[in-house]
Amino acid sequence: MNPAIESSLACWHAMIASGDTGRLRSLLAPDCVFRSPVAHQPYRGADRTELVLSTAAAVFEDFAYHRRFADGNDVALEFSARIGATEL
């Protein structure tokens, strides 16, 4: 995997572990697109993506990663979490 991607993933995991998403913007390209399996449309742009990810990081409980899928420069992280009594 590209060393820049590995570095970004390490930063991401550190932010999630600490609960401090202050460095999130530095990981996002201005024209990034965030696709969620629960959203009908993708979130386009760093502002929207930062808001979605930082909000999720703040409200998810019992957050845990299970698997990482990587293909070239594409990476997906499988996780589970809870919001109150609702399990994701």
Side-chain angles (χ1 to χ4, degrees), residues 24-73:
L24 179 56
R25 180 55 72 106
S26 70
L27 300 178
L28 302 173
D31 60 348
C32 67
V33 178
F34 177 79
R35 291 179 175 83
S36 167
V38 297
H40 296 282
Q41 296 181 3
Y43 297 92
R44 298 184 184 282
D47 289 341
R48 290 182 175 146
T49 300
E50 181 180 29
L51 178 61
V52 169
L53 292 175
S54 61
T55 300
V59 300
F60 285 177
E61 302 168 75
D62 299 330
F63 190 91
Y65 284 109
H66 302 288
R67 294 188 288 176
R68 176 174 83 175
F69 303 92
D71 181 21
N73 289 334

